[in-house]
Amino acid sequence: MDRVYLSKEEMPRSWFNIVPYLPEPLDPPLDPETKEPISPEKLLTIFPEPLIEQEVSTQELIEIPEEVMDILSLWRPTPLHRARKLEEYLQTPAKIFYKNESVSPPGSHKPNTAVAQAYYNKISGVKRLTTETGAGQWGSALSFATQYFDLECRVYMVRVSYNQKPYRRILMETWKGEVIPSPSPYTNAGRQFYEKDPNHPGSLGIAISEAIEEAATREDTKYSLGSVLNHVLLHQTVIGLEAKKQMEKEGLYPDVIIGAVGGGSNFAGLSFPFLKDKLIGEKPDLEVVAVEPTACPTLTKGEYRYDYGDTVGLTPLIKMYTLGKDFVPQPIHAGGLRYHGDAPLVCKLYNLGYISAVAYDQRKVFEAGLIFARTEGIVPAPESAHAVKKAIDEALKCKETGEEKVILFNLSGHGYFDLSAYDKFLRGELQ
Ligand SMILES: *Cc1c(COP(=O)(O)O)cnc(C)c1O
């Protein structure tokens, strides 16, 4: 079939935690002051207890609460598409499938965790959430989610994006999010930059520091992060659990699974339920490939060591591949892929050789995005176009060798708020 659907009844009832299958344990996050493993109590100032429990859980399956299922089912289960038109265009014997996460209301996979996080904060008595956003994908997902649980949502948005990309700000405000250009005068972290220059362009690192500071200093407020952490990856596994059922319906199992990696959440969400089969030795030949931009080559060029999650150094130290907390990538259009680190779970599996990684230039990525838009019809988010590019390369390899590989990639989001980037590409003005 060209599209595989699941009924609401076939939605996964539990998230999948890969931790019990890791060949060696994760290195613990360290307290930035003592450099000792951080105590869960310390994390309680910024995260609610149920999410900290999930962060350290070693249980394989964690039940999805009914209240979360209820909101997710506004758009889930998402369809699995066979990319027939793309296959025909490439004249490949490969079978290309993609999981379509662009059908969520905010247009990406991000609400899968935003809804769960909003729910657990609500039942923990939290009244407000703070977060940061670059181009606005995460801020819009969290604004969308918090409105269902009557939580206030304050989003520190990097000022240059706030000024240049109004549409996601409008989306956040439509869903009752309060959007503050960062650096702002409301926090110590922001004020030191704001007072010197009220038009300071800002950075994701500064915005994170502002959001964390506010959560740490207000009793009614917690902080929410859209990628990297174990519990975020856990919530995203609905993608792979659904995809596995959908592939089974087709009587197929993927040879190659591909995802774009910013912090690693959509990649892990799709691949981890399949990676289990590789870790237990049932699918030793399964290839799982992370795709990143050459402008921010965290896995392919980074060092595997402890580093901070933000620029100021307020977050716990986490063991990950990192380009250094002060790394400032070129302003590429795939804003969601510009983070200096990656999820510890993804990094561990990469370090142990269970997954591989590849990096592509922005122009090659947009070329692939355009091919996809002109065959399958959907304009992919610039982030997702990284996965499209790798899927196309794999399919072209099959054309050479005659192999009929089954390729599965994640279409993590659509690009309808990124049309100015496509415009630049079409005009030949893209760097
Ligand atoms: C945020 C984002 C990403 C990157 O984040 P991950 O945590 O690595 O998934 C990728 N694609 C889209 C559409 C995004 O919005």
Side-chain angles (χ1 to χ4, degrees), residues 108-110 137 226-227 260-267 336-337 381 383-384 412-413:
S108 78
H109 65 288
K110 288 196 170 78
Q137 290 270 23
S227 188
V261 170
S265 74
N266 86 85
F267 167 77
L337 306 185
E383 293 87 354
S384 316
S412 51

Side-chain angles (χ1 to χ4, degrees), residues 20 24 39 44 66 133 136 157 197 223 252 366 386 399 409:
E24 58 182 57
S39 68
L44 270 173
E66 209 49 57
T133 200
M157 184 172 190
D197 178 10
Y223 169 70
L252 294 170
F366 273 88
H386 286 73
K399 188 173 171 178
F409 75 88

